């Protein structure tokens, strides 16, 4: 018997969970905690007392509901809850199972680290989502600016082509006809003037092409 008790004690000490045996009316009968600091209250403050004497009314009602369900269905009841611990909320996961005709066993695990990690991950995901939305909005705004710039460029090219290239074409044509004496013979000064007109028109056409290329 002593050997069996020693083995059971060793097993319990190795478990990170807290164990509580409660009566069907919610009274604490036994407990085990490998690390007593994990207890919400010292054992002398809750052993032989009911959960209504220890916990807030709403939470105590919930626990009583799980006790009744475990006794009635003989199935494991699993739930999570939160309790303040030295002004810091701590999170727990509980599994409750029927022991015998008048008591249940509650196995409690501290999941504060897990909940904290989940909250941090959720916050990071929300932050990432927000950054993606902001980046998407910035890209959409940039696309609008690019489309506006392209539209402005197209309008500029159309205006340049219509307002400058269109009238420049006949200037080039007629200056060439004049210089080639298509409309009659020219003296030396007239021929030089026609050549200057043609040269200036060609230069303007080249400049216009450079502007359009740019």
């Amino acid at each position: 018997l002593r050997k069996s008790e020693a083995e059971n004690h060793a097993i319990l000490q190795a478990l990170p969970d807290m164990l509580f045996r409660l009566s069907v009316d919610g009274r604490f009968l036994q407990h085990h905690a490998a690390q007593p600091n994990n207890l919400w209250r010292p054992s002398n403050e809750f052993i032989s007392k009911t959960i209504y004497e220890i916990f807030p009314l709403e939470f105590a009602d919930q626990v009583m509901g799980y006790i009744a369900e475990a006794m009635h269905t003989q199935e494991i009841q699993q739930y999570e809850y939160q309790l303040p611990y030295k002004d810091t909320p701590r999170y727990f996961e509980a599994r409750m199972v029927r022991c015998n005709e008048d008591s249940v066993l509650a196995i409690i695990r501290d999941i504060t680290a897990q909940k904290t990690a989940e909250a941090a991950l959720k916050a990071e995901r929300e932050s990432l989502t927000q950054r993606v939305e902001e980046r998407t909005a910035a890209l959409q705004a940039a696309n609008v600016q690019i489309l506006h710039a392209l539209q402005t460029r197209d309008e500029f090219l159309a205006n340049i082509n219509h307002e400058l290239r269109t009238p420049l074409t006949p200037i080039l044509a007629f200056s060439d006809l004049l210089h080639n004496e298509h409309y009659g013979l020219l003296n030396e000064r007239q021929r030089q003037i026609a050549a200057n007109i043609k040269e200036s028109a060609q230069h303007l056409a080249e400049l216009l092409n450079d502007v359009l290329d740019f």
Side-chain angles (χ1 to χ4, degrees), residues 64-122:
M64 285 301 300
Y66 290 120
I67 291 176
E69 193 70 16
M71 295 297 296
H72 176 68
T73 64
Q74 300 187 27
E75 295 178 354
I76 296 177
Q77 305 298 309
Q78 183 173 340
Y79 57 96
E80 295 181 3
Y81 63 94
Q82 174 186 341
L83 289 175
Y85 187 85
K86 297 180 181 179
D87 299 327
T88 302
R90 291 179 65 173
Y91 300 87
F92 299 90
E93 178 186 72
R95 290 180 172 85
M96 185 178 291
V97 64
R98 176 178 173 177
C99 276
N100 49 42
E101 294 78 6
D102 55 6
S103 68
V104 296
L105 177 67
I107 304 173
I108 312 297
R109 174 168 296 182
D110 189 332
I111 58 172
T112 303
Q114 175 185 337
K115 287 293 185 180
T116 302
E118 290 175 356
L121 180 59
K122 181 181 179 181

Side-chain angles (χ1 to χ4, degrees), residues 169-203:
T169 300
I171 293 176
L172 283 168
F174 285 118
S175 64
D176 187 61
L177 290 174
L178 285 173
H179 185 263
N180 293 330
E181 298 180 333
H182 180 76
Y183 297 107
L185 296 176
L186 303 175
N187 58 38
E188 187 62 27
R189 179 168 177 76
Q190 291 172 334
R191 187 178 295 106
Q192 183 62 41
I193 291 173
N196 289 341
I197 294 174
K198 180 179 179 181
E199 182 180 356
S200 296
Q202 289 176 338
H203 177 70

